[in-house]
Amino acid sequence: MNFQTSVGLPVGLPPISHISPILLMGSCFAENMGTFLTEAKFQLDLNPFGILYNPLSISSALKEIITKKEYTEKDLFAYRGLWHSTMHHGSFSAITPEATLQNINARLLQAHQTVPKLDWLMLTFGTAYVYEAKETGKVASNCHKLPENDFNRRLLSVDEIVDEYTSLITDMAACNATLKFLFTVSPIRHIRDGMHANQLSKSTLLLAVDRLQQSFPEQVFYFPSYEIVLDELRDYRFYADDMLHPSPLAVHYLWERFSETFFSAETKQVIREVEDIRRDLAHKPFHPGSEAYQRFLGQIVLKIERLIRKYPYLDFQKETELCHTRLNP
């Protein structure tokens, strides 16, 4: 007897491998998958503007990455002792404008340099609601706790999103003809205005992505993270304490379903070997100076060397340095 409604995974999608450069942008789901991909040694850049929630903010950030915008002090504002950018997450804010600009421009340049080499652009939409500054009319990616009266909040239309991304995809494809776009809709519910408003928002995002798939069938793909959480994991035991975010168990399940969809048998084997090394390094010995532990570390180094010989594009520099530090305290 089956007690679960299974969501059919898309088939025939182009595979993702360790030699596929990836840029992930968007909401918390992008962060979750990005963390798994990073730990598995994929080549990626994750949220160079920090977490972004709405499609227009993500699109604006991508345009700034492509054009290599350089932020100046006039792009910032001071509030509550910190300098902020409305385009960026609070993790970029700092006490001085110089420090904030250093944080922003260094990450933007890094992302710009990856664009020509990208194989996948993975975008996660969280909400179709946007905050527009009353003074400028610009969409704010992050309000940084400015007074709510400074903004107008509204729901984007499907046409707005489709028009914006039709232009963006066309422009990016002209620069990188092999670039593939993977869209997801975050399963995290935004209940500020109630469940009905959240459903309207998610429906808008889903309809927009579907339209984009129809317009770009060879370039645009969709992974059903939203449907998996709402249908396969509809029990509250798969949610965090706030009953809105997926629990760590649910996030891991999404990773498994993502792996089923995009990874070949060889890629999965590499992931297992990488995880084996990570697990060994996480081991905390009772006697770190013992001969047995030194041999254990030596075996880890040998595992890393064997894996790099087989897959030279894997980056184990940090792990190798950690082993040598522990071998020579």
Side-chain angles (χ1 to χ4, degrees), residues 22-31 34 44-66 87-88 107 111 114-115 118 120-126 141 165 168 172 182-184:
I22 306 166
L23 173 60
L24 294 96
M25 295 181 67
S27 71
C28 299
F29 178 75
E31 290 280 322
L44 71 139
D45 192 352
L46 174 60
N47 269 339
F49 280 65
I51 294 173
L52 303 173
Y53 295 100
N54 72 79
L56 293 193
S57 290
I58 296 170
S59 174
S60 296
L62 278 167
K63 290 175 181 177
E64 292 186 358
I65 290 170
I66 294 167
M87 278 293 295
H88 291 78
R107 283 295 284 116
T114 68
V115 169
L118 284 179
W120 284 93
L121 179 57
M122 300 184 186
L123 305 178
T124 299
F125 294 160
S141 301
Y165 278 83
L168 180 68
M172 294 193 74
L182 177 63
F183 287 91
T184 61

Side-chain angles (χ1 to χ4, degrees), residues 233-284:
L233 306 180
R234 62 174 62 190
D235 193 292
Y236 272 111
R237 72 180 184 273
F238 295 114
Y239 285 82
D241 290 345
D242 64 3
M243 298 299 159
L244 299 174
H245 287 73
S247 68
L249 179 62
V251 172
H252 194 274
Y253 182 77
L254 284 170
W255 168 248
E256 290 179 348
R257 299 289 271 160
F258 185 89
S259 302
E260 289 178 48
T261 305
F262 290 103
F263 299 156
S264 67
E266 182 181 17
T267 298
K268 291 177 184 177
Q269 177 59 33
V270 175
I271 292 172
R272 283 192 289 269
E273 294 186 50
V274 170
E275 178 58 29
D276 183 48
I277 292 170
R278 288 186 62 252
R279 190 165 46 247
D280 285 349
L281 280 171
H283 173 69
K284 295 182 179 179

Side-chain angles (χ1 to χ4, degrees), residues 24-287:
L24 294 96
M25 295 181 67
S27 71
C28 299
F29 178 75
E31 290 280 322
N32 292 332
M33 292 301 101
T35 299
F36 279 110
L37 288 164
T38 299
E39 291 177 348
K41 297 300 179 183
F42 284 79
Q43 302 176 45
L44 71 139
D45 192 352
L46 174 60
N47 269 339
F49 280 65
I51 294 173
L52 303 173
Y53 295 100
N54 72 79
L56 293 193
S57 290
I58 296 170
S59 174
S60 296
L62 278 167
K63 290 175 181 177
E64 292 186 358
I65 290 170
I66 294 167
T67 58
K68 197 173 70 171
K69 173 175 176 171
E70 184 171 358
Y71 275 71
T72 64
E73 190 170 328
K74 67 180 181 181
D75 296 308
L76 309 179
F77 68 95
Y79 187 64
R80 293 185 176 179
L82 295 173
W83 286 82
H84 309 276
S85 159
T86 56
M87 278 293 295
H88 291 78
H89 187 265
S91 58
F92 287 84
S93 302
I95 295 174
T96 66
E98 292 80 11
T100 302
L101 291 172
Q102 172 62 27
N103 294 338
I104 289 172
N105 288 325
R107 283 295 284 116
L108 200 152
L109 177 60
Q110 178 186 338
H112 171 78
Q113 292 170 340
T114 68
V115 169
K117 301 175 285 187
L118 284 179
D119 195 17
W120 284 93
L121 179 57
M122 300 184 186
L123 305 178
T124 299
F125 294 160
T127 179
Y129 284 99
V130 295
Y131 287 85
E132 293 175 332
K134 290 180 179 178
E135 188 174 323
T136 64
K138 291 181 62 177
V139 172
S141 301
N142 195 309
C143 299
H144 299 287
K145 299 183 179 179
L146 286 167
E148 191 170 349
N149 288 337
D150 289 356
F151 302 92
N152 291 317
R153 186 171 183 264
R154 69 177 181 89
L155 182 68
L156 296 173
S157 70
V158 174
D159 285 342
E160 280 182 279
I161 300 170
V162 171
D163 289 347
E164 178 71 16
Y165 278 83
T166 296
S167 173
L168 180 68
I169 292 168
T170 302
D171 290 345
M172 294 193 74
C175 301
N176 183 345
T178 62
L179 179 61
K180 295 172 282 293
F181 297 79
L182 177 63
F183 287 91
T184 61
V185 172
S186 171
I188 298 168
R189 291 169 293 171
H190 294 248
I191 61 168
R192 172 193 169 100
D193 293 326
M195 289 299 184
H196 181 64
N198 174 72
Q199 291 300 94
L200 292 175
S201 169
K202 299 294 187 183
S203 298
T204 299
L205 300 174
L206 291 166
L207 287 168
V209 172
D210 187 66
R211 290 256 303 270
L212 290 170
Q213 279 189 284
Q214 293 177 34
S215 298
F216 301 94
E218 303 298 321
Q219 296 162 287
V220 172
F221 307 94
Y222 176 71
F223 178 73
S225 56
Y226 177 78
E227 293 83 352
I228 290 170
V229 171
L230 264 67
D231 285 291
E232 291 192 18
L233 306 180
R234 62 174 62 190
D235 193 292
Y236 272 111
R237 72 180 184 273
F238 295 114
Y239 285 82
D241 290 345
D242 64 3
M243 298 299 159
L244 299 174
H245 287 73
S247 68
L249 179 62
V251 172
H252 194 274
Y253 182 77
L254 284 170
W255 168 248
E256 290 179 348
R257 299 289 271 160
F258 185 89
S259 302
E260 289 178 48
T261 305
F262 290 103
F263 299 156
S264 67
E266 182 181 17
T267 298
K268 291 177 184 177
Q269 177 59 33
V270 175
I271 292 172
R272 283 192 289 269
E273 294 186 50
V274 170
E275 178 58 29
D276 183 48
I277 292 170
R278 288 186 62 252
R279 190 165 46 247
D280 285 349
L281 280 171
H283 173 69
K284 295 182 179 179
F286 286 111
H287 305 288

